[in-house]
Amino acid sequence: MKNRARFVDVEGRPAIRFEREYPYPQERLWSAVTDPAELSRWFPAAVDIELREGGTITFTDEPGAEPTKGTILACEPRGSLSYTWESDELGFTLNPTPQGCLLVFVNVLGDRETAAMVAAGWTVCLDEFDALLAGEPPSQEADSETWRPVYESYIAEGFPAGAPVPGQGGETS
């Protein structure tokens, strides 16, 4: 299956890594990973971002819920962006190619047992990212309808699992 995550090690820490190539310029992908209006289409939380190293990124997961804050670890306009989100670190690197741009997205995990769950979530989110870039309408499928089979496929591939799945009554698979 194309566009799947790989389970990797980043400086001794568990992580998932995606690489996706796009026929769009680096500037177009930069906008999609930094502009709150574009992030609202594919990212799993509403985001307010201060685009500078040391800046704050605020995530609002659900209406009425208390927002969480992260720190911008690195910000190189049109090239790379990384930040904390709770116990995870997210990093986006945009590399120009002759055909467009290569997106490398790495999520360093705070908990190894979340790997299958997080990989499935990002697979679904990045499919929406692809649709946004292609000018396609948003998916009308419910998140769990799309997410569950992807999650189960990552477990079948051997990704670490076992963390409680939010909204699933503590269910782990």
Side-chain angles (χ1 to χ4, degrees):
M1 192 181 249
K2 70 176 194 133
N3 296 326
R4 303 277 293 177
R6 289 182 312 150
F7 183 69
V8 298
D9 177 270
V10 173
E11 297 177 2
R13 298 171 60 198
I16 56 171
R17 177 186 174 99
F18 289 89
E19 290 187 18
R20 292 187 176 194
E21 191 159 351
Y22 296 94
Y24 310 108
Q26 187 178 23
E27 294 78 12
R28 176 65 192 104
L29 273 73
W30 181 253
S31 177
V33 300
T34 61
D35 181 316
E38 293 202 67
L39 285 162
S40 70
R41 164 75 188 271
W42 67 272
F43 198 83
V47 173
D48 183 31
I49 187 168
E50 225 181 325
L51 278 176
R52 62 174 180 78
E53 189 172 327
T56 299
I57 183 166
T58 304
F59 307 95
T60 306
D61 296 329
E62 297 175 23
E66 199 60 35
T68 57
K69 294 189 183 294
T71 302
I72 306 297
L73 302 172
C75 181
E76 181 184 316
R78 294 182 309 281
S80 64
L81 176 67
S82 63
Y83 48 85
T84 60
W85 188 7
E86 296 184 0
S87 62
D88 289 5
E89 291 178 14
L90 280 59
F92 299 87
T93 304
L94 306 174
N95 297 306
T97 67
Q99 297 77 32
C101 188
L102 174 68
L103 166 72
V104 178
F105 170 57
V106 177
N107 184 329
V108 179
L109 303 167
D111 179 356
R112 176 183 174 80
E113 299 308 308
T114 65
M117 179 173 53
V118 172
W122 284 122
T123 298
V124 171
C125 288
L126 289 173
D127 287 348
E128 282 299 311
F129 180 83
D130 295 353
L132 168 72
L133 291 173
E136 297 170 2
S139 169
Q140 298 301 313
E141 294 184 41
D143 287 342
S144 63
E145 292 172 21
T146 305
W147 177 85
R148 172 63 64 180
V150 178
Y151 173 59
E152 291 171 356
S153 72
Y154 278 116
I155 291 172
E157 288 177 29
F159 276 57
V165 175
Q168 302 290 310
E171 181 181 335
T172 59
S173 62

